[in-house]
Amino acid sequence: MLGLVATNLTRRYGRTIATAVGIALGVGTIVALLSTGSGLKRTAAELIHLGQADLGVFQKGVSDPTASILPASLASRLERRPDVERATPLLLLIEAVRQNPAAVVFGADPRGFFAERLVVTRGVKRTGRRDVLVGDRLASDLGLRPGDPLTVQRRRFRVAGIYHSGVFFEDTGAVIDLRTAQRMAHRAGNATTIAVEIAPHLRHDAVERALRRALPGIQIIGTPDDAVRAGANGRLIRNAVRIIGALALIVGGLGVANTMAMAVLERQRELALLSAVGWPPVRIATVVLAEGVLTSMLGAALGLLLGVVGADWLGDALGVSSVVSPHVTPWTIGQALLIGVAIGILGGLYPAWRATRVSGVELLARA
């Protein structure tokens, strides 16, 4: 049966390829969005674990956690709690490096655990008024070495050292003194987030609940899902995936249905002959349905490749590939293949039914 299916598809290979390409475009768009969403979730995980923190404290009600505004003095208040080991304020400067707008510049207290955990591989660990520490990935991208100049928001700094933290989000950015960052952003005494390290032997969720009760005006983010829900980007991607998935099923299903229906009309005598030699209707319908599923699977495989390449290209075009990189998971691949099968079944049902309605005796009598 598989040989017959393959022969039928290659007989009209132009039509088969055109249908598969149409399906591939829809599936590719879905894969690109899913992999970008997964990359966004991974970036969100790094955002809340800056300096290997356990929790991130942000302003409540903001559409994007990076737009949060909190009093930096909140860190001292948190450190006085018995369930908090240490807390340090961070001020994030977005699009501050002209050569790489995706790089984030962190304003950090040099005495906080965020700055302490930076491992300087070249140069010295110093964040004075005119000194900046640069992540090794950003230094590699811009060709920076200790002593080189770096402009941050039109202010000239000197690279004091190159650091590595092991956190992608940090290693593609830079670090300056917190007070310097506050002056540059005109946010004296403010921070974007408070990185929190909970006390040993305490349950993560219990500390979260206690902090939410004690500080009702703030938002505690402890998991990547929390970070994605806190911003509009995660919801936008999920909604876009649902809409495009529905469109892909409808448009792809109609394409497969059209291709298979035309094939059934062109092969009426062949199907009649199969019926005349004893093939049951179910077997004939299975052949037609298998052709539709195989065509859509070919489109899904091509769409998977297009989706991965397209997501990388989109990230490069938008200049965010250093922060949000596509992340293709086994579930992403599984979803693409499931959509391909669904399109094939949806589009092949009517042609398969039509194939069972072919009267072998009547058509052979006309011959």
Side-chain angles (χ1 to χ4, degrees):
M1 184 182 294
L2 290 177
L4 179 61
V5 170
T7 300
N8 291 334
L9 291 178
T10 56
R11 184 185 303 172
R12 296 287 187 270
Y13 62 88
R15 185 187 301 163
T16 301
I17 292 174
T19 304
V21 169
I23 295 170
L25 292 176
V27 173
T29 304
I30 295 171
V31 170
L33 286 171
L34 287 173
S35 58
T36 301
S38 181
L40 178 64
K41 187 174 181 179
R42 183 170 58 179
T43 299
E46 295 175 343
L47 176 63
I48 61 176
H49 294 303
L50 295 174
Q52 301 175 21
D54 298 311
L55 300 172
V57 177
F58 296 85
Q59 181 186 1
K60 193 172 184 178
V62 295
S63 59
D64 186 345
T66 61
S68 164
I69 302 175
L70 293 172
S73 58
L74 181 60
S76 300
R77 180 181 171 186
L78 288 169
E79 284 190 331
R80 289 194 292 269
R81 293 179 55 89
D83 51 4
V84 173
E85 182 74 10
R86 289 194 293 178
T88 184
L90 298 171
L91 181 64
L92 276 58
L93 302 181
I94 309 300
E95 297 182 351
V97 180
R98 183 174 57 82
Q99 301 97 312
N100 190 338
V104 177
V105 178
F106 301 91
D109 184 348
R111 296 166 298 178
F113 67 82
F114 175 88
E116 288 178 0
R117 290 173 178 172
L118 299 176
V119 178
V120 174
T121 57
R122 285 182 289 168
V124 296
K125 183 187 286 189
R126 183 173 62 238
T127 54
R129 295 181 60 184
R130 292 290 180 177
D131 295 319
V132 60
L133 297 174
V134 179
D136 52 3
R137 288 179 179 269
L138 180 61
S140 176
D141 291 342
L142 301 183
L144 295 174
R145 295 177 297 179
D148 289 346
L150 178 66
T151 300
V152 179
Q153 285 190 350
R154 298 188 297 275
R155 182 169 180 172
R156 191 180 179 89
F157 287 82
R158 186 182 69 88
V159 177
I162 309 296
Y163 68 82
H164 177 77
S165 69
V167 178
F168 184 80
F169 201 55
E170 297 175 23
D171 292 339
T172 55
V175 177
I176 60 177
D177 180 70
L178 176 62
R179 292 185 179 179
T180 302
Q182 290 170 336
R183 286 194 295 270
M184 293 171 59
H186 306 291
R187 298 195 181 282
N190 290 333
T192 302
T193 179
I194 308 296
V196 175
E197 190 178 61
I198 65 175
H201 312 303
L202 292 181
R203 290 184 56 182
H204 194 281
D205 54 348
V207 176
E208 280 192 54
R209 288 194 299 270
L211 289 176
R212 288 193 179 98
R213 287 194 300 268
L215 303 168
I218 66 171
Q219 180 171 250
I220 308 295
I221 298 181
T223 67
D225 289 333
D226 291 340
V228 172
R229 283 193 294 267
N233 293 333
R235 290 192 295 271
L236 178 63
I237 289 177
R238 287 194 297 270
N239 291 337
V241 168
R242 292 191 188 102
I243 293 170
I244 294 175
L247 290 175
L249 286 174
I250 294 171
V251 177
L254 289 175
V256 172
N258 179 66
T259 298
M260 293 297 101
M262 292 180 65
V264 168
L265 290 175
E266 293 172 355
R267 293 157 49 202
Q268 281 188 329
R269 294 186 181 279
E270 174 190 329
L271 296 173
L273 180 59
L274 293 175
S275 178
V277 298
W279 276 44
V282 173
R283 190 175 184 186
I284 295 175
T286 301
V287 170
V288 175
L289 197 60
E291 293 175 15
V293 171
L294 184 57
T295 301
S296 59
M297 288 289 287
L298 291 173
L302 179 60
L304 182 61
L305 177 61
L306 290 176
V308 174
V309 175
D312 284 330
W313 177 85
L314 182 63
D316 292 336
L318 296 177
V320 297
S321 58
S322 62
V323 178
V324 180
S325 58
H327 181 52
V328 180
T329 64
W331 175 230
T332 301
I333 298 173
Q335 284 179 287
L337 296 179
L338 284 174
I339 290 172
V341 172
I343 289 174
I345 294 175
L346 181 66
L349 285 175
Y350 174 71
W353 176 81
R354 282 290 304 270
T356 63
R357 309 304 295 175
V358 175
S359 174
V361 176
E362 182 180 342
L363 285 176
L364 292 177
R366 291 180 188 173

